Amino acid sequence: MAFRLAAIGGFRQAYANARPTILEPVMKVEVTVPVEFQGNVMGDLNRRKGMIMDSRQEAEDAVIEATVPLNSMFGYSTVLRSNTQGKGEFAMEYSHHAPVTKEQQEQLTSAAGAKA
């Protein structure tokens, strides 16, 4: 029991001294929509903390490439269908991990502290 308490105390002290950064997965997203919906879709990706990397036109469709945090992409297919009258589609694949914002990190660490 004493060893366990010492390990917990040591970990908490090391965690406080190290000031770690929480990382979140970032996805590469390619969205294909009719040109008339391009502005709405780009605005929605920006609201989801996405970074637009490229936008091009293929025939009558706009293809938008962006990187977006995975946590922001939940429910995106429903929103995309709604914004494009069911004509938009997207593909998503893992890109990299990136640090969360300071506000998110404080929120996550305070929530974890409340559970402990």
Side-chain angles (χ1 to χ4, degrees):
M1 184 68 167
F3 181 75
R4 183 173 182 214
L5 292 175
I8 290 171
F11 177 80
R12 287 186 179 157
Q13 184 179 5
Y15 181 84
N17 291 339
R19 290 181 278 153
T21 301
I22 299 173
L23 300 177
E24 67 180 337
V26 177
M27 308 303 284
K28 179 182 174 190
V29 180
E30 183 175 283
V31 185
T32 305
V33 296
V35 175
E36 65 260 23
F37 302 113
Q38 181 177 7
N40 290 340
V41 171
M42 289 177 88
D44 185 53
L45 288 172
N46 282 324
R47 276 190 294 280
R48 294 173 181 273
K49 297 184 273 175
M51 182 179 294
I52 307 296
M53 306 304 276
D54 187 27
S55 177
R56 63 183 184 278
Q57 188 169 350
E58 293 179 358
E60 295 184 13
D61 290 333
V63 178
I64 303 163
E65 292 180 9
T67 55
V68 186
L70 177 61
N71 194 36
S72 301
M73 290 302 292
F74 292 110
Y76 183 66
S77 61
T78 305
V79 172
L80 181 64
R81 279 195 304 265
S82 175
N83 287 343
T84 62
Q85 300 173 358
K87 299 174 185 174
E89 56 186 43
F90 78 103
M92 177 170 68
E93 66 182 50
Y94 171 78
S95 176
H96 62 281
H97 275 79
V100 297
T101 62
K102 288 186 182 201
E103 295 81 22
Q104 283 180 309
Q105 181 154 341
E106 290 170 2
Q107 182 182 25
L108 291 169
T109 53
S110 66
K115 288 182 182 179

